[in-house]
Amino acid sequence: MGEVDQAFIQAAEHRPKLDTIEIEGIPLIDLSISDTRDIKLLVSEIADACKNWGFFQVINHGVPSELFTKINIAAKTFFDRPIEEKRKVKRDEVNSIGYHESEHTKNVRDWKEVFDFFIKDPTFLPASPEPEDKQMRTLRNQWPDNPPEFREVCQEYAGEMEKLGYKLLELIALSLGLPSNRFHSYFDDHTTMMRFNHYPPCPCPELALGVGRHKDAGALTIVAQDDVGGLQVKRKSDGAWVPVKPTPNALVINVGDTVQVWSNEAYESVEHRVVANSERERFSIPVFFFPSHYVMVKPLEELVNEQNPAKYKEYNFGKFFAARTRGDYKKLKVENIQILDFKII
């Protein structure tokens, strides 16, 4: 990626402090049920984590440890290939799935490269964010020829993430006092996307960020991270940036904007970022659980009443997602659309 140029440099107020001290981290939740650990306790822990942090880590999630080994090898093998090989599956504004090395967050370029694919192939999304445009676009995954087992490993891992995603959605629903399957119908034709992130060593980690501060647009995100660390969460209580300490075989979970709206702000989508590292490369594998493109997102009627009126206007998820992704390729004059644009004052 060469030397740090102006495109990567964060505004002074958003540059990371690299001497972060160790402080209390996000909750670690055991998803297993036993004689001493019933579903009520688990749901209570999920509720507390979603309310107080918007983030938590899970263990005993059911994903085989050997699958983590396979997917991490696949990621490193792909990113170690020459840039001209990776660019054979490069994404663009027409086909937004594949390899990309110049993504922007908040109009500042991220110090990373990525490879994206959809769990459902093909996936259908609106052609544009314009309300009157009814055209759809069909997006198909682009798979590299090498490594040869790459596609198979990705699809196996994605299947496990899909199962875990539904399980987490059920626990979140129960934690809100809703039936466990309350969210299922929103994901019949889900647009869930999986990503490989590669963060090369950065010569000026005090100026750039692997990923700038942001919130996730979907329902929830499931992240596998390696042992390098770098993910930071903005603590709700005081705004401090808290590092998410890597835990062996754990997955990092965060609720996104869609759950914030569905829950009518009982749960909040929280800002997070990734700091760069001057010595070691870092890999992470997030899965963004997105609803079907035709879902109209609004506060759930069961959670709205006279004392707690709806805090958001209804919006179409597919159109919202189409608008959010416009800034991935170039610097825009204004910030991308946010759920605050639908907030009822």
Side-chain angles (χ1 to χ4, degrees):
M1 282 187 170
E3 292 303 311
V4 175
D5 68 29
Q6 198 66 33
F8 291 102
I9 296 177
Q10 296 284 328
E13 66 269 25
H14 299 306
R15 293 174 191 169
K17 293 181 175 61
L18 301 180
D19 57 347
T20 307
I21 58 171
E22 286 293 321
I23 50 180
E24 175 204 11
I26 64 173
L28 180 66
I29 298 177
D30 185 343
L31 292 185
S32 63
I33 302 296
S34 66
D35 292 340
T36 58
R37 182 174 175 76
D38 63 14
I39 186 69
K40 287 184 179 178
L41 177 58
L42 173 55
V43 169
S44 173
E45 290 178 353
I46 294 285
D48 287 344
C50 289
K51 182 178 179 182
N52 297 321
W53 284 91
F55 266 81
F56 52 96
Q57 294 196 72
V58 295
I59 56 173
N60 292 323
H61 40 64
V63 182
S65 58
E66 60 268 23
L67 188 51
F68 287 126
T69 302
K70 287 165 64 176
I71 199 72
N72 285 321
I73 290 171
K76 179 162 177 55
T77 305
F78 172 75
F79 285 120
D80 279 350
R81 296 192 63 75
I83 187 69
E84 58 270 18
E85 287 294 312
K86 292 181 282 192
R87 284 178 176 163
K88 288 179 180 178
V89 289
K90 183 172 175 57
R91 75 189 208 203
D92 54 39
E93 292 187 58
V94 176
N95 185 0
S96 59
I97 290 297
Y99 174 74
H100 193 47
E101 75 271 40
S102 57
E103 191 162 80
H104 290 67
T105 302
K106 305 286 187 188
N107 277 332
V108 181
R109 189 172 167 187
D110 297 329
W111 191 268
K112 68 176 182 184
E113 55 181 343
V114 305
F115 177 82
D116 296 331
F117 67 93
F118 286 117
I119 287 184
K120 287 185 180 289
D121 188 15
T123 286
F124 303 96
L125 285 168
S128 82
E130 307 307 324
E132 65 278 2
D133 186 356
K134 304 302 180 187
Q135 272 194 304
M136 299 296 296
R137 55 180 176 153
T138 303
L139 294 171
R140 290 187 167 87
N141 293 332
Q142 300 188 84
W143 297 106
D145 293 331
N146 287 297
E149 69 282 359
F150 186 79
R151 179 175 182 171
E152 181 182 344
V153 172
C154 287
Q155 289 173 330
E156 182 184 1
Y157 185 85
E160 291 293 330
M161 290 296 106
E162 190 173 26
K163 286 191 292 186
L164 179 58
Y166 278 111
K167 180 177 182 178
L168 290 165
L169 285 171
E170 289 176 359
L171 291 168
I172 290 169
L174 289 170
S175 75
L176 289 166
L178 303 168
S180 62
N181 65 351
R182 179 63 177 88
F183 298 127
H184 282 206
S185 63
Y186 297 137
F187 293 85
D188 288 344
D189 298 298
H190 64 73
T191 54
T192 298
M193 187 180 78
M194 183 167 150
R195 164 172 289 182
F196 292 106
N197 284 317
H198 174 227
Y199 304 94
C202 177
C204 298
E206 71 282 0
L207 298 178
L209 286 168
V211 182
R213 75 198 193 284
H214 68 284
K215 299 183 179 186
D216 292 348
L220 57 85
T221 306
I222 305 171
V223 184
Q225 63 169 345
D226 63 15
D227 64 348
V228 175
L231 176 62
Q232 294 183 340
V233 175
K234 194 171 187 179
R235 188 163 54 190
K236 291 176 64 175
S237 60
D238 59 4
W241 286 104
V242 177
V244 178
K245 188 176 181 180
T247 302
N249 293 320
L251 289 163
V252 182
I253 316 297
N254 65 282
V255 299
D257 290 345
T258 307
V259 163
Q260 178 168 322
V261 174
W262 281 338
S263 70
N264 206 30
E265 291 188 353
Y267 299 157
E268 184 183 349
S269 175
V270 173
E271 272 195 330
H272 49 288
R273 68 183 186 183
V274 175
V275 296
N277 188 304
S278 61
E279 298 174 1
R280 296 180 65 190
E281 64 181 348
R282 176 180 183 263
F283 296 90
S284 71
I285 307 170
V287 177
F288 303 100
F289 238 69
F290 294 146
S292 311
H293 71 83
Y294 47 77
V295 166
M296 300 302 296
V297 181
K298 63 179 181 179
L300 299 179
E301 56 190 24
E302 303 98 311
L303 303 178
V304 172
N305 53 46
E306 285 186 17
Q307 291 74 41
N308 186 33
K311 294 180 171 67
Y312 294 89
K313 295 178 287 187
E314 183 178 70
Y315 63 89
N316 173 267
F317 181 78
K319 291 290 187 183
F320 179 74
F321 183 70
R324 277 289 291 260
T325 55
R326 286 187 299 183
D328 286 354
Y329 304 93
K330 57 190 175 186
K331 189 168 183 175
L332 302 176
K333 293 180 180 178
V334 295
E335 185 176 343
N336 268 340
I337 194 169
Q338 306 289 328
I339 57 167
L340 285 178
D341 296 315
F342 301 95
K343 179 97 176 188
I344 299 172
I345 306 301

